[in-house]
Amino acid sequence: MAYNKLNNPRAFPGNSNYGMSLRDYFAGKALAGEMAGERLSGDASPAVLEQRAQLYYRLADAMLKVRAEEETLTNATAMMGLSI
């Protein structure tokens, strides 16, 4: 499965199409990690906050890409009867 922003599963799948996407979940975790480290000033400018939000989503995109690559590798090796 090739990664793209439209191929973004729900973070908590269930019977609903509503809720947080995995991309949102990953970005939120990146934000929480930075806030826990108190690296982001409470009086940061709107421009700085937007830059940080873009960074968190770029990190989330990278995580989704690697996740898709790993899933493809796992599926390919399983089809060959191998395990990794």
Side-chain angles (χ1 to χ4, degrees), residues 34-47:
E34 183 157 6
M35 295 304 288
E38 297 182 29
R39 294 184 51 212
L40 186 60
S41 171
D43 62 351
S45 72

Side-chain angles (χ1 to χ4, degrees), residues 15-26:
N15 295 330
S16 173
N17 287 329
Y18 300 103
M20 179 183 299
S21 71
L22 195 53
R23 183 175 186 248
D24 291 333
Y25 181 76
F26 286 161

